[in-house]
Amino acid sequence: MPEKFDCIVVGAGPAGTACAYELAKAGVNVLLLERGEYPGSKNVMGGVLYRKMMEDIIPEFYKEAPLERPIVEQRFMLMDKESAVTFSYKGLEWGREPYNNFTVLRAKFDQWFAEKAVEQGALLVCETVALECIVEKGRVVGVRTDRPDGEVYADVVVLADGVNSLLAKQLGFHREWRPDEVALAVMEIVKLDKKVIEERFNLEPEQGCTIELLGDATKGILGTGFLYTNKDTLSIGVGTLLSGLIKHKIKPYELLEYVKNHPMIRPYLQGSEPVEYLAHLIPEGGYHSMPKVVGDGVLVVGDAAQLVNAIHREGSNMAMTSGRLAAETIIMAKTYNDFSESMLDHYRLKLMESFIVQDLKKYKDATHHFDAFPQYFERYIPLLNRAASHMFTVDGASKWEKQKKIWRDLGSVKEKLKLARDVFKAWEVMK
């Protein structure tokens, strides 16, 4: 490797590769470091890729990228132990170009994306761990890797090394994350015939469906389960705050097995064969947990900057956009040959103006609120299921009687007032 690059990007996930791609396309001499055997080997996400943010980088990428299925239906299950209230949106417009989103398998997609960056001129080096940033006179000037003679220098370094960014922590950009700021997601990929998938999920050939699972899927802990359709596999998983797992003394794989065997989910998986098991930390702190993202000679992007919308389960789209905005800032800084914090701060300003921080601001108190008040998952979702069961069971009782029973089931006057207050508070943090 040359001793000096214009830019070093640490991490070949969606954020890092997006940044490297844009830089290389503009003629910037960029080194992309990946600790895994190949891009995607260490990367995990639920499996949904949003078209718009990727197309901002590579127009019509969906004509050649290794995608699984375009999503035409998004379902949501509010689950009790033996029931679920389900609602969904199915739009056939999502099954036509330019599409809305797709399911992907990161091991395939990330390799393809990194190869596109290499085609533009980026140098990809895998199986290389960036141990620390090289700092001279208060400015980041490179990284020290685990390779022999592993010091590499650059005008600017981009940290895209994930939620547990040790390099950003070393620079003092963030502290150790609290258990209520990080979620642990576990996922299993199971093989199933593609025609069986389409029959079970009521899909036409090549169409896809996602199901988000709330309530009993996480045993009342703040988090969600998910079930996504791929070409000939399903992605089944669950993610919850670390604080919830610790409090309830539940092991992640036990929770995954519980979801897989839930009577509302088990029929979808019948006859499938496990292919792969994955686990990954996800930043959940949101706006209040965003670390410093700019310093002299350094930028922080993607999960390393806590850029995940936990409410809408969006992360890869924010990651790619943050990588693109970082690249735009670096290209401008190169024009002026100025990589100071004040110049690179244009990246932070771009972030603040983008949908990324606007959405994080909108839901800035939501995760903390629902974590602090577990009754939303532990009491209200089961109440909703019981109410639906009462209302839709035809047993000779009048609908007036059924409504009165549902009203009684809500509890005392005090409990009803508490429910009303909780609904109002939920609206306040979500509006």
Side-chain angles (χ1 to χ4, degrees):
M1 292 187 294
E3 185 178 292
K4 176 78 182 292
F5 291 83
D6 294 331
C7 178
I8 299 170
V9 179
V10 181
T17 301
C19 184
Y21 180 94
E22 291 290 313
L23 290 173
K25 186 173 71 173
V28 176
N29 184 20
V30 57
L31 170 65
L32 179 59
L33 295 178
E34 167 56 38
R35 66 188 176 96
E37 182 182 352
Y38 54 85
S41 65
K42 298 286 187 180
N43 296 332
V44 180
M45 70 179 184
V48 174
L49 179 79
Y50 294 90
R51 187 267 312 169
K52 172 64 171 64
M53 293 72 190
M54 184 66 200
E55 198 166 32
D56 286 342
I57 300 165
I58 303 179
E60 297 187 334
F61 72 96
Y62 46 81
K63 293 184 176 179
E64 58 173 307
L67 307 171
E68 294 298 305
R69 292 175 182 264
I71 301 304
V72 299
E73 183 177 13
Q74 295 183 353
R75 300 180 199 168
F76 300 85
M77 277 190 180
L78 305 179
M79 299 168 66
D80 202 359
K81 294 188 183 302
E82 293 187 333
S83 63
V85 175
T86 303
F87 60 96
S88 72
Y89 173 77
K90 187 170 186 176
L92 296 184
E93 74 277 11
W94 286 351
R96 300 186 293 267
E97 292 186 20
Y99 307 105
N100 177 48
N101 55 7
F102 310 85
T103 49
V104 297
L105 296 174
R106 288 286 297 273
K108 296 179 182 179
F109 180 81
D110 284 18
Q111 285 187 80
W112 172 84
F113 194 13
E115 286 168 5
K116 302 304 287 186
V118 170
E119 288 175 12
Q120 294 296 324
L123 175 59
L124 171 65
V125 179
C126 296
E127 298 183 285
T128 302
V129 178
L131 300 173
E132 60 181 344
C133 291
I134 301 171
V135 181
E136 294 180 359
K137 297 180 180 178
R139 177 185 164 191
V140 175
V141 296
V143 296
R144 186 170 291 107
T145 74
D146 61 348
R147 287 176 172 260
D149 301 320
E151 292 188 355
V152 193
Y153 292 85
D155 292 323
V156 62
V157 173
V158 177
L159 304 183
D161 50 337
V163 56
N164 235 357
S165 177
L166 298 179
L167 301 185
K169 185 180 176 184
Q170 170 223 341
L171 294 173
F173 282 18
H174 72 80
R175 50 176 167 68
E176 191 76 35
W177 300 123
R178 300 190 312 268
D180 64 347
E181 293 176 299
V182 180
L184 179 60
V186 290
M187 180 176 79
E188 190 169 79
I189 297 173
V190 298
K191 190 168 183 60
L192 196 62
D193 183 81
K194 64 183 300 183
K195 290 186 178 179
V196 174
I197 291 174
E198 287 157 3
E199 288 172 1
R200 288 186 184 175
F201 289 83
N202 190 29
L203 299 168
E204 295 292 328
E206 310 306 322
Q207 291 180 347
C209 172
T210 65
I211 307 179
E212 307 291 340
L213 314 171
L214 299 167
D216 193 58
T218 59
K219 293 192 175 183
I221 303 171
L222 180 60
T224 58
F226 56 87
L227 178 59
Y228 299 157
T229 58
N230 305 315
K231 285 181 179 177
D232 57 2
T233 62
L234 300 175
S235 297
I236 175 73
V238 60
T240 61
L241 288 180
L242 275 178
S243 56
L245 292 172
I246 294 169
K247 178 181 177 182
H248 293 268
K249 298 180 180 178
I250 298 177
K251 294 181 174 63
Y253 66 85
E254 293 174 345
L255 201 53
L256 178 58
E257 286 301 311
Y258 182 78
V259 173
K260 288 168 57 181
N261 288 288
H262 194 284
M264 298 295 105
I265 301 302
R266 189 171 57 241
Y268 289 109
L269 305 177
Q270 187 175 358
S272 64
E273 298 178 2
V275 176
E276 191 175 7
Y277 178 88
L278 306 158
H280 186 57
L281 288 174
I282 300 172
E284 296 269 342
Y287 182 76
H288 292 305
S289 297
M290 279 185 65
K292 182 179 179 181
V293 296
V294 176
D296 286 322
V298 63
L299 302 168
V300 185
V301 298
D303 281 8
Q306 284 270 347
L307 303 182
V308 167
N309 180 343
I311 299 300
H312 287 269
R313 316 311 301 162
E314 295 179 21
S316 62
N317 56 335
M318 292 184 164
M320 289 184 291
T321 299
S322 69
R324 177 175 61 82
L325 297 178
E328 292 173 359
T329 302
I330 292 168
I331 292 166
M332 180 184 67
K334 192 173 187 298
T335 302
Y336 293 96
N337 194 30
D338 179 3
F339 301 95
S340 65
E341 181 173 346
S342 59
M343 173 60 76
L344 297 180
D345 194 56
H346 283 85
Y347 163 65
R348 183 186 63 82
L349 297 176
K350 286 174 179 284
L351 272 184
M352 298 298 289
E353 295 170 357
S354 73
F355 79 94
I356 299 173
V357 174
Q358 293 303 310
D359 284 355
L360 293 183
K361 275 186 178 179
K362 174 178 170 62
Y363 300 113
K364 65 183 186 297
D365 298 317
T367 299
H368 173 73
H369 176 76
F370 291 118
D371 185 38
F373 300 98
Q375 61 265 30
Y376 290 97
F377 291 86
E378 294 177 351
R379 182 166 183 263
Y380 298 152
I381 289 180
L383 268 177
L384 178 62
N385 276 263
R386 289 198 296 274
S389 177
H390 290 324
M391 204 65 195
F392 298 137
T393 297
V394 179
D395 55 6
S398 72
K399 297 300 184 283
W400 284 112
E401 290 176 295
K402 290 178 178 293
Q403 289 176 3
K404 289 176 182 177
K405 179 171 175 34
I406 292 170
W407 182 250
R408 288 195 302 270
D409 286 348
L410 296 180
S412 64
V413 173
K414 183 178 180 181
E415 289 173 315
K416 290 183 177 74
L417 288 173
K418 185 177 187 303
L419 171 59
R421 285 195 299 268
D422 285 345
V423 170
F424 178 75
K425 288 176 183 175
W427 168 252
E428 283 289 299
V429 299
M430 296 285 284
K431 68 180 181 180

